[in-house]
Amino acid sequence: MHILLIHQAFAALNEPGGTRHHELARHLVKRGYKVTVIASALTYLTGGAQEGRIPWKQVEDGGEGITIIRAYTFRALHKSFLHRLLSYFSFMFSSFFIALGVEKVDIVWGTSPPIFQGVTAWLAARLKGAKFVFEVRDLWPAFAVAVGVLRSKVLIRASEWLEKFLYRRADQLIVNSPGFIEHIESRGGAQIALIPNGAEAAMFDPADDGAAFRQAHNLQDKFIALYAGAHGISNDLGVVLTAASLLQPYEQIKIVLLGDGKERAALQAKAQEMGLVNVLFLPPVPKHEMRTALAAADTCIAILKPLEMYKTVYPNKVFDYMAAGRPIVLAMDGVIRDVVESAEAGLWVAPGDAAGLAEAIKQFAEDRETARQMGANGRAYLEAHFDRPQVAGMLDEVFKAVNRRQ
């Protein structure tokens, strides 16, 4: 079976960012699939190009059975909301024309956000006589409205219309969190399958102490509380800086913020203004190097803004933390809290509570044995419920069922 995935923010294993789809594609290939991916030529974390120029089309080898086609995308993804829309629409059109040239496709797999590439996937599927599978990774435009990025009533109405249009025309809907199902059903979606976020346990070694990473960054004797991921509006990393200020008297504790994003420069300036000597900003690393970075951590931080909509999400980073066998300080509520508490894999604090965040980090620093046990609990729970090969098996069954339908 040939799957065509259209995914603007796709990250290959040799890139920073969420590599869920590349990992799933590798497992699908092992099950006999052929996978073609049309992705942006820009790195989603920073909005920059991997090379100086941005080609209309560039073909890459994604591994045996996987072809990655980089499509032209307007530069300046993170300059403003208007620039971001231009980036989305440029990919929408370039990916559509490139998709027309991909032959013998059985299923076109579109993924949102951005939701506009869903239109490309739907139209390409219809023109090719293929099935249209639409994956919802975030509830757009609801999240954009909740965080204040999307304010125009006209754009909101148009986006909500498009959302319902795609839900109702998909041959199959996929969600990566159970928290999304009610929202989608209320907007006319049916045939919804849960293919949860997870992690590839084999990529991580809980026994690794991350000595090389610690030495490279002069962190040998520190208790490291690591945040790994996007530095954006939703990630609420200002709260982490406030927590760091409360932890300054504890010289052994070091907060490491690994990643990039629109807010990174502002966060660095704020940390300097606050005189934080216990915070270290590090650039993002490719997925194959994340193993070493997480191995160096004593605890890992997962945080989002205290918005009601964010109670629905299953963030990728939480599952990576569990796969690495590291205890989690979780400043999120909702369905992901249920996972972490069921696994006994970390400590929960209320989103937005800097004092609670600081106290949880200090608690782990003072009780290393409990921290180690919670990390081991998380690893075992992930292996039992969210390991990537299991999740890929679920996706395989969904694709086969869709392909059999008349």
Side-chain angles (χ1 to χ4, degrees):
M1 194 186 309
H2 186 188
I3 306 294
L4 173 60
L5 169 62
I6 300 176
H7 186 359
Q8 182 168 349
F10 176 89
L13 290 170
N14 61 348
E15 298 177 272
T19 57
R20 161 186 162 94
H21 291 86
H22 199 179
E23 293 167 32
L24 287 172
R26 295 201 310 170
H27 286 290
L28 290 175
V29 167
K30 291 177 184 177
R31 293 170 176 267
Y33 288 75
K34 176 183 177 182
V35 180
T36 301
V37 182
I38 302 179
S40 172
L42 301 180
T43 300
Y44 191 76
L45 276 179
T46 64
Q50 296 182 25
E51 300 179 1
R53 66 183 188 87
I54 305 176
W56 171 257
K57 175 183 176 182
Q58 182 171 300
V59 180
E60 301 174 6
D61 181 5
E64 187 176 351
I66 304 172
T67 301
I68 302 171
I69 305 174
R70 301 288 179 177
Y72 174 83
T73 311
F74 177 73
R75 200 190 294 265
L77 177 66
H78 294 308
K79 278 189 175 180
S80 68
F81 181 69
L82 176 60
H83 283 87
R84 179 167 290 198
L85 284 178
L86 289 172
S87 178
Y88 292 162
F89 283 121
S90 67
F91 179 78
M92 175 183 168
F93 287 108
S94 64
S95 61
F96 171 72
F97 288 109
I98 290 171
L100 293 181
V102 180
E103 298 180 347
K104 298 179 180 178
V105 173
D106 299 292
I107 292 176
V108 180
W109 176 9
T111 180
S112 170
I115 199 169
F116 308 106
Q117 63 193 1
V119 177
T120 297
W122 164 73
L123 187 55
R126 294 297 172 258
L127 291 175
K128 290 177 172 294
K131 297 293 195 301
F132 169 45
V133 173
F134 188 47
E135 177 188 22
V136 181
R137 302 182 346 266
D138 283 332
L139 297 177
W140 203 93
F143 283 3
V145 173
V147 82
V149 172
L150 184 58
R151 299 176 183 177
S152 165
K153 291 182 179 179
V154 173
L155 286 177
I156 291 170
R157 282 197 296 269
S159 299
E160 290 174 341
W161 177 88
L162 179 58
E163 178 189 26
K164 292 175 183 177
F165 176 91
L166 292 170
Y167 290 167
R168 293 169 180 174
R169 281 159 180 79
D171 297 300
Q172 177 70 54
L173 288 158
I174 292 175
V175 295
N176 63 20
S177 166
F180 295 165
I181 294 174
E182 182 179 353
H183 174 96
I184 294 171
E185 287 180 335
S186 71
R187 286 152 179 79
Q191 296 283 359
I192 305 170
L194 172 62
I195 308 295
N197 271 341
E200 187 103 18
M203 288 186 174
F204 300 91
D205 180 6
D208 188 352
D209 63 2
F213 184 91
R214 285 174 170 270
Q215 186 171 1
H217 301 291
N218 196 28
L219 296 167
Q220 292 92 326
D221 301 320
K222 299 296 184 181
F223 179 90
I224 299 174
L226 174 73
Y227 170 87
H231 293 35
I233 295 172
S234 297
N235 305 107
D236 219 18
L237 294 181
V239 171
V240 177
L241 296 186
T242 303
S245 70
L246 299 173
L247 291 168
Q248 291 240 68
Y250 305 91
E251 295 182 2
Q252 186 185 14
I253 298 174
K254 192 82 169 184
I255 308 295
V256 177
L257 301 179
L258 175 72
D260 207 340
K262 186 178 180 182
E263 300 298 308
R264 187 170 191 256
L267 289 164
Q268 288 177 303
K270 183 177 179 180
Q272 186 173 9
E273 180 185 326
M274 295 170 70
L276 299 179
V277 297
N278 59 344
V279 176
L280 175 64
F281 288 87
L282 294 177
V285 298
K287 187 58 175 280
H288 61 79
E289 295 180 24
M290 188 61 73
R291 165 180 171 153
T292 304
L294 293 186
D298 294 292
T299 185
C300 293
I301 301 167
I303 184 169
L304 283 174
K305 279 186 174 295
L307 299 174
E308 191 69 21
M309 288 299 303
Y310 287 158
K311 291 181 179 181
T312 63
V313 302
Y314 263 9
N316 278 309
K317 64 172 61 63
V318 173
F319 297 103
D320 281 350
Y321 296 164
M322 293 170 72
R326 295 303 181 260
I328 300 163
V329 176
L330 183 72
M332 305 178 190
D333 209 343
V335 292
I336 194 60
R337 179 183 177 184
D338 294 340
V339 171
V340 173
E341 290 186 340
S342 295
E344 298 182 355
L347 296 174
W348 179 81
V349 300
D353 181 2
L357 186 65
E359 181 59 32
I361 292 170
K362 184 166 77 72
Q363 186 174 330
F364 276 143
E366 293 174 347
D367 188 354
R368 305 291 183 93
E369 183 55 37
T370 296
R372 280 191 288 270
Q373 185 58 57
M374 285 189 162
N377 293 346
R379 169 75 179 202
Y381 197 84
L382 179 123
E383 289 177 324
H385 300 284
F386 297 103
D387 200 3
R388 197 73 81 199
Q390 297 175 29
V391 174
M394 297 165 64
L395 184 60
D396 175 29
E397 291 300 319
V398 168
F399 282 157
K400 285 177 178 175
V402 173
N403 200 45
R404 285 194 297 265
R405 290 181 204 152
Q406 296 300 317

